[in-house]
């Protein structure tokens, strides 16, 4: 499998298409266990009905400092707490406690490379009834090296004919395991048209977000992203980029984006923990702006990677050092 096309500073490691190795240590229901032993029953509710919530967190290795930095780990566990509320799942600790468990897991694996962290909380009970309340919960955490999730050197996107799940059906605000069928359908569809990433429209026809990332456009000097009411996952990276943009004096708006605004935008990029900052150079075969990565996308990507890896000391509150 080819590795993902990457720009400088992005996470280095295996392709997200590669099978995850079951080496090292994972965490399951309160215990650190060999990864290969961390199993759940085929009768578990989550396997049968998709009743789980999860997160995706990155830790960046800084070779000069010999340090591994978890990036915005607390905010991911705060969002996971909200997702869990939606699904009536009880997490085994507060966001701060879960950050500590994550740091301990990374230390036990002694990683000196860029890694991804995947917490999962789910209905573990071997229960047939399709419901939420009164079903035993489970919690797992595993981690593995991975590179970029999307190309970061100028990707191609396409609008999917699959609509984003709406808040009154399967809420996109929660990072829900079963909801990723929606993403899988859309990404599968646009891959058949040669695109790297899907763009979802909402049920009412406005732009929602990417398959696994939030979406930004640049128009007439404004940075614009879709609002939290557009059936998006409320991204942690989205928040970083809005903050960094305002610090640079850019005007930032959260408002509905029409489909044709994608075609006339000066720049377009995706943001996400997996996606990082992934500039997009074409949508539906039409070039965005000049058809090359634009200055705002480039500036934000450079700043994001420098801060996430700890080469830029701005926003120390966003990084948690793993090693003492
Ligand atoms: N939207 C979707 C559907 C996603 O899966 C992700 C990745 N978690 C994002 C947006 C970006 O969120 P974040 O920046 O918090 O990773």
């Amino acid at each position: 499998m080819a590795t993902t096309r990457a720009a400088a500073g992005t996470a280095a490691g295996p392709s997200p298409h590669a099978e995850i190795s079951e080496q090292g240590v994972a965490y399951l229901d309160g215990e650190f266990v060999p990864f290969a032993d961390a199993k759940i029953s085929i009768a578990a509710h989550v396997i049968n009905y998709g009743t789980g919530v999860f997160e995706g967190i990155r830790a960046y290795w800084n070779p000069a400092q010999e340090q591994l930095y978890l990036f915005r780990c607390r905010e991911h566990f705060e969002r996971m707490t909200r997702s869990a509320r939606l699904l009536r799942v009880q997490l085994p600790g507060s966001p701060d406690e879960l950050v500590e468990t994550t740091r301990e897991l990374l230390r036990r694996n002694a990683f000196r490379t860029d890694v991804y962290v995947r917490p999962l909380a789910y209905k573990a009970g071997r229960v047939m009834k399709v419901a939420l309340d009164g079903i035993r919960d489970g919690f797992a955490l595993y981690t593995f090296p991975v590179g970029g999730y999307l190309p970061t050197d100028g990707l191609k996107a396409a609008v999917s004919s699959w609509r984003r799940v709406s808040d009154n059906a399967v809420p996109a605000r929660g990072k829900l395991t079963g909801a990723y069928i929606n993403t899988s359908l859309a990404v599968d569809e646009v891959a058949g048209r040669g695109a790297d990433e899907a763009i979802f429209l909402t049920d009412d026809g406005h732009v929602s977000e990417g398959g696994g990332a939030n979406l930004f456009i640049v128009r007439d000097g404004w940075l614009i992203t879709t609002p939290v009411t557009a059936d998006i996952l409320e991204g942690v990276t989205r928040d970083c980029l809005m903050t960094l943009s305002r610090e640079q004096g850019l005007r930032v708006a959260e408002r509905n984006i029409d489909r044709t605004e994608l075609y006339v935008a000066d720049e377009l990029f995706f943001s996400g923990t997996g996606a990082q900052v992934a500039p997009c150079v074409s949508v539906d075969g039409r070039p965005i702006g000049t058809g090359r990565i634009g200055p705002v996308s480039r500036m934000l990507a450079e700043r994001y990677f420098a801060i996430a890896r700890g080469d830029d000391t701005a926003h120390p509150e966003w990084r948690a050092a793993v090693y003492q």
Side-chain angles (χ1 to χ4, degrees), residues 21-203:
S21 152
E22 287 189 318
Q23 280 172 358
V25 181
Y27 182 84
L28 182 66
D29 293 332
E31 286 180 64
F32 293 97
V33 294
F35 195 143
D37 294 348
K39 306 284 189 213
I40 65 171
S41 169
I42 57 170
H45 203 268
V46 61
I47 298 286
N48 291 268
Y49 307 121
T51 44
V53 306
F54 68 109
E55 271 303 322
I57 307 166
R58 275 195 193 267
Y60 288 90
W61 173 244
N62 187 310
Q65 298 175 25
E66 302 231 313
Q67 185 57 271
L68 186 61
Y69 287 113
L70 273 164
F71 192 61
R72 304 208 70 177
C73 190
R74 186 175 201 286
E75 289 85 346
H76 282 283
F77 281 120
E78 284 169 354
R79 181 172 65 194
M80 191 175 190
T81 305
R82 295 192 294 271
S83 299
R85 262 181 107 105
L86 290 176
L87 232 56
R88 308 187 80 165
V89 170
Q90 193 67 43
L91 295 185
S94 67
D96 283 331
E97 288 166 342
L98 294 170
V99 171
E100 282 318 303
T101 307
T102 305
R103 291 176 74 222
E104 177 61 24
L105 179 68
L106 289 169
R107 281 196 289 265
R108 286 182 185 231
N109 281 291
F111 283 123
R112 292 168 66 86
T113 180
D114 297 336
V115 293
Y116 191 81
V117 177
R118 169 55 54 79
L120 276 164
Y122 46 90
K123 295 291 172 193
R126 299 184 300 277
V127 175
M128 183 191 173
K129 173 116 175 124
V130 183
L132 293 176
D133 206 16
I135 301 172
R136 179 169 50 86
D137 298 325
F139 181 83
L141 190 57
Y142 64 97
T143 167
F144 56 96
V146 74
Y149 182 76
L150 293 176
T152 48
D153 64 348
L155 63 76
K156 296 181 189 144
V159 176
S160 172
S161 68
W162 294 94
R163 292 292 164 103
R164 188 75 178 120
V165 283
S166 78
D167 197 54
N168 288 301
V170 180
R173 174 168 292 104
K175 199 165 168 65
L176 312 180
T177 306
Y180 280 71
I181 291 171
N182 188 220
T183 297
S184 303
L185 288 167
V187 171
D188 179 70
E189 179 197 5
V190 303
R193 288 192 246 142
D196 302 299
E197 175 64 323
I199 297 174
F200 273 120
L201 303 181
T202 59
D203 252 348

Side-chain angles (χ1 to χ4, degrees), residues 203-222:
D203 252 348
D204 71 2
H206 288 102
V207 175
S208 175
E209 61 178 334
N214 294 119
L215 183 149
F216 286 83
I217 59 172
V218 178
R219 273 197 83 183
D220 302 327
W222 281 82

